[in-house]
Amino acid sequence: MSRVLVVDDEPGIRSFLVGALEIAGHDVTEASNGGTALALATQQPFDVVVTDLRMPGVTGLELLGALKHEQPEVEVIVLTAHGNVESAVEAMRLGAFDYLQKPIGSPAELRVVIERALEHRRLVDAHEVTSRDGVPTLTWRAPAMVPVVRALKRVAATDSTVLLRGETGTGKEVAARAIHAWSPRARGPFVAVNCAALSEALLESELFGHERGAFTGAVARRRGKLELAAGGTFFLDEVGELTPSLQARLLRVLQERTFERVGGSQVLRADVRWVAATNRPLEDMVADGRFREDLYHRLAVFPVRLPPLRERREDIGPIADTLLARIGPEVRRARMTLSPEARRVLEAAPWPGNVRELANVLERAAILAEGDVLQPDDLDVPARSGAAGGGAGASGATGASGVAGVAGVAGASGAPTLEEAERDAITRALAAHGGNRRAAAGHLGIGLRTLYEKLKRYGMG
């Protein structure tokens, strides 16, 4: 259950927010002012904080700054009155995840933003360790990562567009944040959008914003993430999931450095540094006509492949230690450590799901282990046929190969067809994650939209 803190000095709005989130199953704490919120934050950790900007005493911006100092990993969503979006832009620059304009259209709108913030935190928590200088730690000197870090540092000093490639769970957003932290734009905002997390219509509004009346439910003007990222870095994750129409519009923005809000005619400047990421083979998609060749070349100005864990085994132990330090307190096992034998088991495993899979294994072990020192028997590390081989090459894992690797069903009874392997792998992944399709897609190494397409194709949806 996620922990959410709601901060607003207006009782009616606060009651609405609390009720909408409690119905969705969140553990909600409320505060009527910034001072109380800060006191609560020193007593317990929160996953997400929803705060008004204009409050007497400690303002929302002051609260945001203090929270990011006290709990750097917390996701903050700010509430702002219509016509006062400039404060929201400043909040995004200071590290807020998103903003909502008052009056909030519906409880569903609030819950969607909360879920996106929680998903973002889960992804970052699975990868990110921050060094003393505030730059995410990318490696603990694994040889395979040395040229990667060198390349990222060199391109960070420029404004060139970067395409991060690699299997799911290899830390592409962490690499994007490192590029931002090393760049001349480090004082500007870092804004991320996951192209697979939203429908085409919602993603277009999320990217470019919209004018009032642009579509049903657009009760007020909303600035898009691209506009909020001005002066900073714009991270476009899972870019291979973009629909053809959005590919065309994104190409125009990259070429002309300008855009318009949905339903608007005002030309706005896209003053951002572009970083894109994908785990899909874009060259193959170009050849198949599923991805625009001109957009591919615009994005792949400086491609960087992030190696999977099986190619950087020196990093597995330190990453596991860091993950345990975070997971332990969450499951009330704050002193969990790895035995030398357990560490060797982790370092030898293939990890087709990379850091995300490693985090899942450690969390299960921390919950079920009898003692505070994890032993090999505590670790549910399944052997997967072919998983430790070759890897994804420069493109990262393809959807088909990722699915077949997870399934591991080719055996003495004869090799299955690709369709049979995919159906079996999808069934196993959905069962392992309790029917959660987003989690199953991440487990399989494919985008959410790709999973939906396969479910429909095989009559499983």
Side-chain angles (χ1 to χ4, degrees):
M1 181 183 294
S2 58
R3 300 177 297 273
V4 181
L5 174 62
V6 171
V7 191
D8 200 299
D9 60 320
E10 298 184 43
I13 294 177
R14 195 167 67 248
S15 176
F16 166 79
L17 297 171
V18 171
L21 295 175
E22 286 183 337
I23 289 175
H26 300 290
D27 179 11
V28 185
T29 302
E30 57 181 291
S32 60
N33 56 71
T36 301
L38 281 177
L40 290 168
T42 61
Q43 298 168 11
Q44 59 180 308
F46 292 99
D47 299 307
V48 179
V49 175
V50 182
T51 180
D52 191 17
L53 282 181
R54 290 195 173 186
M55 296 183 292
V58 178
T59 68
L61 286 178
E62 292 170 338
L63 175 61
L64 169 62
L67 284 171
K68 283 297 180 179
H69 176 77
E70 185 72 26
Q71 298 183 27
E73 71 282 0
V74 71
E75 300 291 359
V76 180
I77 297 166
V78 298
L79 305 175
T80 181
H82 175 58
N84 190 33
V85 181
E86 288 73 17
S87 295
V89 174
E90 175 65 11
M92 297 288 287
R93 189 186 68 80
L94 294 175
F97 173 77
D98 206 344
Y99 76 96
L100 288 169
Q101 286 188 341
K102 294 182 178 180
I104 298 173
S106 68
E109 180 185 2
L110 171 67
R111 289 194 285 263
V112 165
V113 176
I114 292 289
E115 287 304 319
R116 288 211 314 271
L118 289 169
E119 176 66 13
H120 181 263
R121 172 165 177 171
R122 283 190 289 268
L123 291 174
V124 173
D125 278 355
H127 303 294
E128 186 168 336
V129 183
T130 303
S131 63
R132 290 182 180 179
D133 59 1
V135 180
T137 300
L138 296 177
T139 182
W140 282 260
R141 299 181 184 273
M145 285 294 291
V146 172
V148 173
V149 174
R150 184 185 303 121
L152 293 178
K153 285 185 175 180
R154 286 182 176 177
V155 75
T158 74
D159 236 8
S160 296
T161 300
V162 180
L163 178 62
L164 300 172
R165 319 196 65 162
E167 299 174 15
T168 183
T170 50
K172 292 185 284 292
E173 179 165 342
V174 179
R177 290 178 178 274
I179 292 172
H180 175 70
W182 285 323
S183 76
R185 292 176 173 262
R187 293 184 177 273
F190 177 92
V191 177
V193 170
N194 188 315
C195 300
L198 300 168
S199 67
E200 179 177 357
L202 288 176
L203 181 57
E204 185 175 30
S205 175
E206 185 84 354
L207 288 172
F208 306 113
H210 61 253
E211 296 289 348
R212 179 180 180 181
F215 50 83
T216 302
V219 296
R221 170 188 288 178
R222 176 177 174 82
R223 294 189 179 186
K225 291 292 184 67
L226 186 54
E227 194 171 346
L228 295 175
T233 300
F234 191 77
F235 177 55
L236 205 57
D237 199 6
E238 298 199 51
V239 71
E241 304 296 329
L242 284 173
T243 62
S245 60
L246 278 178
Q247 289 179 32
R249 186 159 184 192
L250 179 61
L251 174 65
R252 178 170 171 260
V253 178
L254 285 165
Q255 288 176 333
E256 301 179 10
R257 299 284 177 172
T258 60
F259 65 99
E260 300 91 34
R261 301 188 191 102
V262 177
S265 57
Q266 180 184 1
V267 177
L268 304 170
R269 182 166 173 259
D271 177 22
V272 299
R273 195 278 178 70
W274 293 91
V275 180
T278 184
N279 64 354
R280 304 189 67 180
L282 294 186
E283 296 92 343
D284 294 347
M285 294 177 67
V286 169
D288 294 343
R290 291 176 291 150
F291 200 85
R292 296 182 62 114
E293 183 176 8
D294 43 9
L295 177 58
Y296 168 74
H297 289 301
R298 283 284 180 178
L299 293 173
V301 174
F302 195 89
V304 178
R305 175 182 177 262
L306 297 179
L309 282 185
R310 61 182 173 273
E311 295 179 15
R312 45 183 292 208
R313 297 190 181 277
E314 298 84 354
D315 285 344
I316 293 176
I319 291 174
D321 291 334
T322 303
L323 290 171
L324 264 186
R326 292 182 175 180
I327 291 168
E330 293 178 358
V331 299
R332 303 179 187 276
R333 304 289 297 275
R335 294 182 294 175
M336 298 298 294
T337 59
L338 289 167
S339 71
E341 297 78 13
R343 188 180 299 274
R344 284 194 288 271
V345 168
L346 295 180
E347 291 173 347
W351 301 118
N354 295 294
V355 179
R356 200 171 304 165
E357 183 183 19
L358 175 61
N360 289 342
V361 168
L362 290 172
E363 184 169 354
R364 287 196 297 271
I367 293 170
L368 297 174
E370 295 294 335
D372 288 338
V373 180
L374 295 183
Q375 303 295 336
D377 290 345
D378 296 320
L379 302 170
D380 180 17
V381 183
R384 297 174 178 173
S385 65
S395 324
T398 67
S401 65
V403 171
V406 172
V409 295
S413 60
T417 66
L418 178 59
E419 177 179 337
E420 290 169 340
E422 286 191 340
R423 286 176 64 94
D424 182 74
I426 291 170
T427 300
R428 290 169 184 252
L430 288 171
H433 294 281
N436 185 314
R437 295 184 176 187
R438 186 182 304 280
H443 181 89
L444 293 169
I446 59 178
L448 183 61
R449 185 174 289 117
T450 301
L451 176 60
Y452 276 107
E453 291 173 354
K454 292 182 183 295
L455 290 171
K456 183 177 180 180
R457 181 191 313 159
Y458 298 142
M460 302 170 65

